[in-house]
Amino acid sequence: MAILQEPKKNYGRLKNYINGEWVDSVSTEVRNVVNPATTEVIAQVPLSTRNEAEKAIQAARDAFWEWRETPGVQRARYFFKLKELMERHFEEISRTLVQEMGKTIGEARGEMRRGIEEVEVACGVPALMQGYNSEDVAPGVDEECIRQPIGLFCCIPPFNFPALVPLEYMPYAVASGNTYIVKPTSDVPLCQMKIFELIHEAGFPPGVVNLVNGSREVVKVFLESPHIKGVSFVGSTPVAKEIYVTAAQNNKRAQCAGGAKNFVVVMPDAVLDKTIPSLITSFFGATGQRCLSGAVLLPVGDIYDEVKKRFVDAARRFKLGYGLDEETQMGPLYSKKHMESVVKYIEQGVREGAKLLLDGRGIKVEGYPNGYFVGPTIFDEVRQDMVIANEEIFGPVACIMRAESFDRALEIIDANRFGHSGIIFTSSGKWAREFEYRVQCGNIGINVGLAAPMAFFTLGGVQGRESFYGDLHGRKESLWFFTERKIVVRRWL
Amino acid sequence: MAILQEPKKNYGRLKNYINGEWVDSVSTEVRNVVNPATTEVIAQVPLSTRNEAEKAIQAARDAFWEWRETPGVQRARYFFKLKELMERHFEEISRTLVQEMGKTIGEARGEMRRGIEEVEVACGVPALMQGYNSEDVAPGVDEECIRQPIGLFCCIPPFNFPALVPLEYMPYAVASGNTYIVKPTSDVPLCQMKIFELIHEAGFPPGVVNLVNGSREVVKVFLESPHIKGVSFVGSTPVAKEIYVTAAQNNKRAQCAGGAKNFVVVMPDAVLDKTIPSLITSFFGATGQRCLSGAVLLPVGDIYDEVKKRFVDAARRFKLGYGLDEETQMGPLYSKKHMESVVKYIEQGVREGAKLLLDGRGIKVEGYPNGYFVGPTIFDEVRQDMVIANEEIFGPVACIMRAESFDRALEIIDANRFGHSGIIFTSSGKWAREFEYRVQCGNIGINVGLAAPMAFFTLGGVQGRESFYGDLHGRKESLWFFTERKIVVRRWL
Amino acid sequence: MAILQEPKKNYGRLKNYINGEWVDSVSTEVRNVVNPATTEVIAQVPLSTRNEAEKAIQAARDAFWEWRETPGVQRARYFFKLKELMERHFEEISRTLVQEMGKTIGEARGEMRRGIEEVEVACGVPALMQGYNSEDVAPGVDEECIRQPIGLFCCIPPFNFPALVPLEYMPYAVASGNTYIVKPTSDVPLCQMKIFELIHEAGFPPGVVNLVNGSREVVKVFLESPHIKGVSFVGSTPVAKEIYVTAAQNNKRAQCAGGAKNFVVVMPDAVLDKTIPSLITSFFGATGQRCLSGAVLLPVGDIYDEVKKRFVDAARRFKLGYGLDEETQMGPLYSKKHMESVVKYIEQGVREGAKLLLDGRGIKVEGYPNGYFVGPTIFDEVRQDMVIANEEIFGPVACIMRAESFDRALEIIDANRFGHSGIIFTSSGKWAREFEYRVQCGNIGINVGLAAPMAFFTLGGVQGRESFYGDLHGRKESLWFFTERKIVVRRWL
Amino acid sequence: MAILQEPKKNYGRLKNYINGEWVDSVSTEVRNVVNPATTEVIAQVPLSTRNEAEKAIQAARDAFWEWRETPGVQRARYFFKLKELMERHFEEISRTLVQEMGKTIGEARGEMRRGIEEVEVACGVPALMQGYNSEDVAPGVDEECIRQPIGLFCCIPPFNFPALVPLEYMPYAVASGNTYIVKPTSDVPLCQMKIFELIHEAGFPPGVVNLVNGSREVVKVFLESPHIKGVSFVGSTPVAKEIYVTAAQNNKRAQCAGGAKNFVVVMPDAVLDKTIPSLITSFFGATGQRCLSGAVLLPVGDIYDEVKKRFVDAARRFKLGYGLDEETQMGPLYSKKHMESVVKYIEQGVREGAKLLLDGRGIKVEGYPNGYFVGPTIFDEVRQDMVIANEEIFGPVACIMRAESFDRALEIIDANRFGHSGIIFTSSGKWAREFEYRVQCGNIGINVGLAAPMAFFTLGGVQGRESFYGDLHGRKESLWFFTERKIVVRRWL
């Protein structure tokens, strides 16, 4: 067991990054950052004060107009630099990510790669944010749609992708001419701090990108401030909805991603040898703490028994450990509290009468006796009315339900309230097309364990379900969120 | 004075159009439709019951899936037919519009023409709603963004463009595969009824497009129904905001247009001979009842006196009358209540100390002694802190304020809370560009009296001001509002 | 046998349509138009003189600038009208098409429907030809790409879709602001004449759209005239290439579609019950005279024998006759000369040693003893080196070759010089994706007999093969062909 | 006079870069690279053999399929790396560019910056080369347009932007999945060699990007090879046309930019203080050796005398010298031969009777007695029929012609055969719009001396004139040139 070296053992008390400077918070309210495998405290986060949040807002407001007048090609160039720096510090930040959040080093590298891809796509902003125009909409009258940045935006990310999520929004917002504040999740703030060190090094003008550590109070300031024009949130459904409604009341834009409960259909004609490893990654990768993780497995028809058997066998062999061990396949849950929540769901499943084929509770990982580990857990004979079949557990807990037919599988999926991601394994073009066409989910996978779209697409649940609130999603599509169009009708006399 | 023939003298009691049939409402609550020039009652609108609204919802729900599976090219073909029918009934509906709403026949024809243009653009839906795709986002993995219709939408239009406004939304929604309900404004429901007669003749499948007359109760049913996926509203700012927030709470899409207060800057280098007629149209056209109407005139610097003089002279010559008289340049306000409101604002201006250069109150129009007429009214020496300088009057009332400089004019505009439309008259490329670049309005006019965008653009105020709530506007842009994207990540094993 | 009524028995001597008027040609060189089923002469086409071609050019030049200044929305409106008229005369023109060209009434209606679809898409030109723009490409400098029409274009269509092909180009060219000349194929000019009657009725301004009957001499005038800015040609490969090179030499745009030899792969997992009818349509529909027709059938592996058997059985039952008989499934070839050419290819196949499973030569159709009929003809044991496996026969002649594997089938297809269309029948998502990804053809069908793209896509072979010469294809994509972009770099001092 | 340090005094004998390796040419035919200021020989270029050109073709063919299967996001990443390296070697390559070509260090840095911008835009290829798709084009039938790379392309650049021009094409071609050969101009090959050193360092797979030094023989091999799918050429009009026609004959794509003669209109309302410096840059920057350089000055009406006077005064003060001197404003012409050609044009102008206001012939630059210098030269009273008013001189020679009116200025411009770039200086929105709308040039400047579009637009002359042959230009637009679309019609049975 060769553990990779940690970048630091203790990161001390974190600072805010406001107006181009690292500043200490005056706050005495401090939260510990804990390595969930070792349970060591590795940093302290002061929860910033209302006044500090307002200072960041002021800095970002002051920086706006000059930044907005900076040519797009120059704004993009800061992101080219940031990408270069992220490549250079790739391994170091990946390891910090393991330390604070618990995922495996492979998963951490994957997250960093995805984050870099967001920055790469945002580098294309000069081409991506162009307006359009028509000559002669009436004799001698031309018309033009121009897209302009709006002002100040902020991001409130979740714990599970603490490096990536702000990068799904901030680069697009800032490259398109807005200024920005990130409020990292206070449990897992380290890699975002490190990314801001690179932002600093990249030389962004002061006030353009800011970081304020904190919790609900800071969010409250943001939502109430008339100067914040929009918010990108990723977290639980109740908070997503609350923020979305508050933003509506306060005349702000909002795009709020909430929970998920993702279903994975396996058709009888699936290529099982390659399907099973994908299922394992889908359900247990990132210890199940991904919005795109598989949650309910729906083998269709006769393939049920074989899928179940092979899935359980493979899950059983999945190796738990500390994420900095290259051999580890699954790390701990990110916090004690979250581990307890996952365990409670398992108990609930047992109580509800689901059949526990594999029980990850109480697992002991050598060398990490106090780590927040829960092993792969598989329930069979899950019924549609059980809590575990409906709520987001966000841990390595798979529910298996038999679906008699493709149509029945679709029915089960669409009865779920989230509508986030749907997956099908099949070799049939027909089933794949039917699935894409009909399933009410925003992220659809055909023979992939995770329907994780690239940055030059978008990501997110569909309208009217409970995994997403808003009209405009992140990534490339967010250029519509972060800019406002003006229509100019022009005539010369 | 040759009055054009009216299509009908009395339209009787109006019906709802539900599931492809004209049906009587059981409601006993009835509102009169009054010709505002003649004050004759020309129709009765029953305010539909909750149950009737629900029937329309049910019909539209039932029609959805089959309509959604109908190829776009076929869905568009119904709109080709509708366009053809609208051309054929162009004059007849235009006249009905004059009867019920009071605008001049020229304005009515303009409205109809604009409505037809919306239908024409929606005919292009097969090309306009395409998704996008990439090969090899990873080795052997392709990715696709598909755009699909969502379900049932509804429109709640205002009184001032009763023919046009539903056509700014419905054709895009329906052509892209959704089903629809229009609830016409109950004061001015006739031309929408006539358009639905054409919709019926065009042969849309039952339930695809529906009309329910009514008022707040019907709107309430719509906003509460989980089956209505989104609402397009045009009206006053308080209602716009209320509907937007309610939609957010109920997990619906919403695009809500509210009030406006539009400023018109005249620079010293403006070409006055051609500017003055545009100003008259801007401020007094449609009797000032347009969201894009000029409200405050800002002559910059020395040109002030001349602009004022020529503007007042021209306004004085503006001919009031019944809209069906081809010579009429300005009709009455659309209702008695609204006339009283406009008169109150004039009284308020007088009280506030503005100088009344031209007083349209109490004007008498020959042959229409009881018509709801207010003539062109011009206040000079208006100050930024007066109510008449800030609130939407929506009548033929112009406020003149002197701006010392271009920068000062911009300041005055951006201090206004609406941010809907800004106009500048100038011959200078430099001022025009500065204006477009900096003014915080969504609809910008350069040497045009009305910044009315074409249907193949979009229309609306900017984010964070009070003339529009939502991320996605009407017209071409509404295809993003009326469709949901799914991202498919596809691999074959 | 109930024959549909013919619109006319004899159409007399055809005229040119120049500058908004129908004018007689002074030419004494006249070609007969012959009904290929009845062999009756149904019209005479004078082959216009050089001077007449030049008059059309002059008319189109004179009309250009005013048409180009007409707003796009108004230009599109002529096409809305044309579409309406085409719907109204749908059946009549379809029947004329049968008379002159021999296809079945069903095929003729399909061609007309496709032609209408082109017009429908061109109606969307205001939205489709927009340019794009960026603010602040440098401080205070904006940049804009505007798309403008170019001038005069012409179309030289083939005999096989005499109604449709000009509509694949002209509406886009003209709606985007260019003027146009169509030179119908002189063997089959009638339905184009009828479409021009509708163009006349639609009220296009004189000179905007013109028709000149003629042959090579007229084409020569077009290619040499400096006033013709581009040419769209569909015909044989040698002529396509010649026109393309001549256009290059004369500084004109050109898009030239040539011949094809299309391969149809049937994988062992194809759904045969639905595949066989599609194969029949593919190979024998339109009597094999479609650029997208199947020519070589490639059953892969063991399915070979069954596909062959069922294909021959179905072909044997295909009913020949006069196209105006609704029961007819296959009409005659369009001309005597072409019939003789097809027969020669069959003889060639026999000489080369291919096994003739079904012989369509010498077939007698009751009531049409002299019609240019050749029945479905199927060769088995065709080898890659045979002439019939490589050259375009353009008749109802199918060659069957066994392919041992998918890879071998691809190899055979890509060895062919045309690269026009490739078809696969399979139920496997994997094979379909591999086929799309790898096959070097422009038009790809998955489980469809004809890979005929919709008008809101484009159509055509791929670069470097011999079915298409040019960079820009027809339909929606042709808006880049028919317009030129200007880049404006704009600063105000 | 502080001369910047040269990176090297002598670069020795240059190599080819084929299949990822630097290889010596066996050629004994060698050309000297001469510093045009010092006239020192600074390198030798062997003119590669036919066999060497074929080896590069083979390497690029072999590399194609694997490169084409590499995900776009990974292909783009090589360009992110290249951009980073170009930034790092920015100053060094800029100086080499001065040495070999003679331009000033400021101009060289400008060229490098523009080159980097091309690479930056090409980094966005995953978003820029997406295809599009529609569901349900018929019931159950979907359609997709996919864009795929084509194969091997090559670039034949001119002498005047030896670093930039290949970067206007290659990055787009290669990022979109094609392989590539650059054949630098043999007089000025050094900075391209240096860029290829960075390409090597960036780690592109062998064979993907290749460099072959040479002259006409190599070009001939390229044009004849069936494996080269397209060529991007920039140079003189006769060669551009010849290459375009040859490519057409050999079934290749081509985009060929030729000569230019650019007109600069100064309206009476121009802001002269800022206009004059722009004029100087336009006419004399890069010693007039830019395709976008001003060539004919057209002051309109009364402003004529003042413009002339101030233009000549400013030109007179323009400082000649060695480009590595930071104070130098204008360097020598790039070669002795070209200097002689420019001098001949001046003699021609004198002979034709134009009035020589400023004579740059025989100018002596201190320290560089043999340098190929010609100073700013200004002719007045130039007539439209003079050779100097029509042909491309490509040196620091300005012709002044008076235009009586705006319309007359336009007439003069459009009588010119090139149609490349047109410039207007005015403060009037009306004149600017008229100019953009009507002038037959591809690159239009409003109050800018050079209408040089950004990489996220495109560049080039208009159809039918003689500065460009082809349908598709470089830069962003070239993604259509470098990719082929396939249309897939897909149904599942």
Side-chain angles (χ1 to χ4, degrees), chain D residues 429-440:
Chain D
K430 183 190 182 70
W431 292 130
R433 194 270 181 183
E434 279 296 289
F435 193 74
E436 296 168 23
Y437 189 79
R438 291 166 57 190
V439 74
Q440 296 305 308

Side-chain angles (χ1 to χ4, degrees), chain A residues 129-442:
Chain A
M129 77 176 279
Q130 292 176 319
Y132 58 92
N133 49 273
S134 297
E135 276 188 358
D136 284 329
V137 297
V141 182
D142 302 327
E143 200 164 314
E144 201 173 343
C145 170
I146 52 183
R147 297 204 78 85
Q148 297 186 332
I150 297 174
L152 166 55
F153 285 82
C154 70
C155 176
I156 302 163
F159 74 85
N160 62 335
F161 286 98
L164 173 59
V165 169
L167 296 172
E168 291 180 338
Y169 304 99
M170 182 276 283
Y172 303 96
V174 173
S176 62
N178 301 284
T179 54
Y180 212 82
I181 307 176
V182 172
K183 187 218 76 58
T185 184
S186 39
D187 291 333
V188 193
L190 289 177
C191 49
Q192 203 56 223
M193 177 202 71
K194 282 184 152 291
I195 288 168
F196 266 78
E197 285 170 354
L198 305 184
I199 284 170
H200 184 67
E201 190 177 342
F204 283 86
V208 169
V209 204
N210 306 275
L211 175 150
V212 176
N213 288 299
S215 61
R216 294 209 152 235
E217 185 64 17
V218 167
V219 172
K220 209 155 162 283
V221 174
F222 289 173
L223 290 178
E224 286 166 3
S225 167
H227 305 302
I228 291 211
K229 301 303 184 188
V231 55
S232 300
F233 170 85
V234 179
S236 71
T237 286
V239 182
K241 181 161 184 184
E242 186 195 327
I243 288 183
Y244 187 68
V245 171
T246 307
Q249 282 161 340
N250 295 349
N251 204 355
K252 286 181 201 329
R253 292 193 169 186
Q255 45 182 199
C256 299
K261 187 80 180 180
N262 303 314
F263 291 71
V264 181
V265 178
V266 183
M267 294 299 290
D269 63 0
V271 180
L272 274 200
D273 285 351
K274 294 179 178 163
T275 296
I276 299 297
S278 287
L279 294 181
I280 295 296
T281 308
S282 179
F283 284 84
F284 305 120
T287 322
Q289 299 166 103
R290 284 191 288 218
C291 68
L292 293 165
S293 288
V296 181
L297 183 60
L298 294 169
V300 171
D302 291 346
I303 208 171
Y304 178 79
D305 288 324
E306 190 178 354
V307 168
K308 181 169 68 176
K309 185 182 169 312
R310 293 172 68 168
F311 181 53
V312 173
D313 285 355
R316 216 184 289 277
R317 289 191 305 271
F318 215 47
K319 187 179 180 315
L320 273 75
Y322 184 19
L324 284 181
D325 178 352
E326 292 262 19
E327 285 169 26
T328 293
Q329 291 177 299
M330 189 168 115
L333 291 158
Y334 92 103
S335 76
K336 187 150 188 289
K337 198 171 142 199
H338 187 51
M339 178 188 64
E340 290 163 1
S341 157
V342 170
V343 167
K344 259 185 210 147
Y345 272 114
I346 301 176
E347 291 163 4
Q348 166 96 26
V350 171
R351 268 201 313 280
E352 291 180 306
K355 183 169 165 193
L356 192 54
L357 298 183
L358 189 63
D359 185 354
R361 288 174 297 179
I363 202 159
K364 282 299 160 206
V365 174
E366 204 194 314
Y368 304 93
N370 304 314
Y372 311 141
F373 291 97
V374 171
T377 300
I378 301 175
F379 281 110
D380 191 17
E381 297 177 15
V382 175
R383 291 189 321 271
Q384 229 185 322
D385 62 347
M386 292 180 181
V387 167
I388 57 167
N390 286 288
E391 292 190 9
E392 183 178 48
I393 301 176
F394 227 57
V397 181
C399 298
I400 310 183
M401 295 170 71
R402 186 202 291 265
E404 298 75 43
S405 65
F406 174 83
D407 282 348
R408 175 67 188 137
L410 264 191
E411 241 179 65
I412 293 171
I413 298 176
D414 286 346
N416 176 268
R417 68 191 172 104
F418 289 109
H420 190 60
S421 177
I423 304 277
I424 191 169
F425 285 86
T426 180
S427 59
S428 149
K430 184 190 183 70
W431 292 131
R433 195 270 179 183
E434 279 296 290
F435 192 74
E436 296 168 23
Y437 190 79
R438 291 166 57 190
V439 75
Q440 296 305 309
C441 295

Side-chain angles (χ1 to χ4, degrees), chain C residues 263-269 296-308 379-384 399-415 423-425 431 435:
Chain C
F263 292 72
V264 181
V265 179
V266 183
M267 294 299 291
D269 63 0
V296 181
L297 182 62
L298 293 169
V300 171
D302 291 346
I303 207 170
Y304 178 80
D305 287 326
E306 191 179 353
V307 168
K308 182 169 67 178
F379 281 109
D380 191 17
E381 297 177 17
V382 175
R383 289 188 322 271
Q384 227 185 324
C399 297
I400 310 184
M401 294 169 71
R402 183 202 292 264
E404 298 75 43
S405 65
F406 175 83
D407 283 348
R408 177 64 190 139
L410 264 191
E411 240 177 67
I412 292 170
I413 298 175
D414 286 346
I423 304 278
I424 192 169
F425 284 85
W431 292 131
F435 192 74

Side-chain angles (χ1 to χ4, degrees), chain C residues 166-361:
Chain C
L167 296 173
E168 292 181 337
Y169 304 99
M170 182 278 282
Y172 303 96
V174 173
S176 62
N178 302 283
T179 54
Y180 213 82
I181 307 177
V182 172
K183 187 216 77 57
T185 185
S186 38
D187 289 335
V188 193
L190 289 177
C191 48
Q192 204 55 221
M193 178 202 71
K194 283 185 152 290
I195 289 168
F196 267 78
E197 286 171 355
L198 305 185
I199 284 170
H200 184 69
E201 188 177 344
F204 284 86
V208 168
V209 205
N210 305 275
L211 176 149
V212 177
N213 288 299
S215 61
R216 294 209 151 233
E217 186 64 18
V218 166
V219 173
K220 209 153 162 283
V221 174
F222 288 174
L223 290 178
E224 285 167 3
S225 168
H227 306 302
I228 292 211
K229 300 304 184 186
V231 53
S232 300
F233 170 85
V234 179
S236 72
T237 286
V239 182
K241 183 162 182 182
E242 187 194 327
I243 288 182
Y244 187 67
V245 171
T246 307
Q249 284 161 340
N250 295 349
N251 204 357
K252 287 182 200 329
R253 293 194 167 185
Q255 45 182 198
C256 299
K261 187 80 180 180
N262 302 314
F263 292 72
V264 181
V265 179
V266 183
M267 294 299 291
D269 63 0
V271 180
L272 275 199
D273 284 352
K274 293 180 180 163
T275 297
I276 299 296
S278 287
L279 294 181
I280 293 297
T281 308
S282 178
F283 284 83
F284 305 121
T287 322
Q289 300 166 106
R290 284 192 288 217
C291 69
L292 293 164
S293 288
V296 181
L297 182 62
L298 293 169
V300 171
D302 291 346
I303 207 170
Y304 178 80
D305 287 326
E306 191 179 353
V307 168
K308 182 169 67 178
K309 185 182 170 311
R310 292 172 67 169
F311 181 55
V312 174
D313 285 354
R316 217 185 288 277
R317 290 192 302 272
F318 215 49
K319 186 177 181 317
L320 273 75
Y322 184 19
L324 284 182
D325 178 351
E326 292 261 19
E327 284 169 28
T328 293
Q329 292 176 298
M330 190 167 113
L333 290 158
Y334 91 103
S335 76
K336 187 150 189 289
K337 200 172 140 197
H338 187 53
M339 178 187 67
E340 289 163 359
S341 158
V342 170
V343 166
K344 261 185 209 147
Y345 273 114
I346 300 175
E347 290 163 4
Q348 167 95 24
V350 171
R351 268 200 314 279
E352 290 180 306
K355 186 169 163 191
L356 193 54
L357 299 182
L358 190 63
D359 186 354
R361 289 175 297 180

Side-chain angles (χ1 to χ4, degrees), chain C residues 89-167:
Chain C
H89 296 264
F90 185 90
E91 182 64 15
E92 168 199 340
I93 304 182
S94 299
R95 291 184 190 183
T96 298
L97 183 44
V98 174
Q99 286 180 291
E100 65 173 339
M101 196 278 175
K103 58 180 63 178
T104 69
I105 184 67
E107 288 159 357
R109 288 172 188 145
E111 180 173 346
M112 277 298 288
R113 177 54 55 206
R114 282 291 162 115
I116 289 174
E117 283 171 12
E118 301 288 348
V119 177
E120 288 170 347
V121 173
C123 287
V125 81
L128 295 176
M129 78 175 280
Q130 291 176 321
Y132 58 92
N133 49 273
S134 297
E135 275 189 357
D136 284 329
V137 296
V141 182
D142 302 329
E143 202 164 313
E144 200 173 344
C145 171
I146 52 182
R147 296 203 79 86
Q148 296 185 332
I150 297 174
L152 166 56
F153 285 82
C154 70
C155 176
I156 303 163
F159 73 85
N160 62 334
F161 286 98
L164 173 58
V165 170
L167 296 173

Side-chain angles (χ1 to χ4, degrees), chain B residues 130 136 142 433 437 476, chain C residues 130 136 142 433 437 476:
Chain B
Q130 292 176 321
D136 285 330
D142 302 329
R433 195 270 181 186
Y437 190 79
K476 196 180 69 173
Chain C
Q130 291 176 321
D136 284 329
D142 302 329
R433 195 269 180 183
Y437 190 79
K476 196 181 69 174

Side-chain angles (χ1 to χ4, degrees), chain B residues 77 80 83-84 113 117 120 126-128 130 135-136 142 429-430 433 437 456-457 476 492-493, chain C residues 77 80 83-84 113 117 120 126-128 130 135-136 142 429-430 433 437 456-457 476 492-493:
Chain B
R77 216 157 271 153
F80 276 101
K83 176 230 156 46
E84 183 189 333
R113 177 54 54 209
E117 283 171 14
E120 288 171 347
L128 296 175
Q130 292 176 321
E135 275 189 357
D136 285 330
D142 302 329
K430 184 190 182 71
R433 195 270 181 186
Y437 190 79
F456 43 102
F457 282 79
K476 196 180 69 173
W492 296 104
L493 302 177
Chain C
R77 216 157 271 153
F80 276 101
K83 176 227 154 53
E84 181 189 333
R113 177 54 55 206
E117 283 171 12
E120 288 170 347
L128 295 176
Q130 291 176 321
E135 275 189 357
D136 284 329
D142 302 329
K430 184 190 182 70
R433 195 269 180 183
Y437 190 79
F456 43 102
F457 282 78
K476 196 181 69 174
W492 297 103
L493 302 177

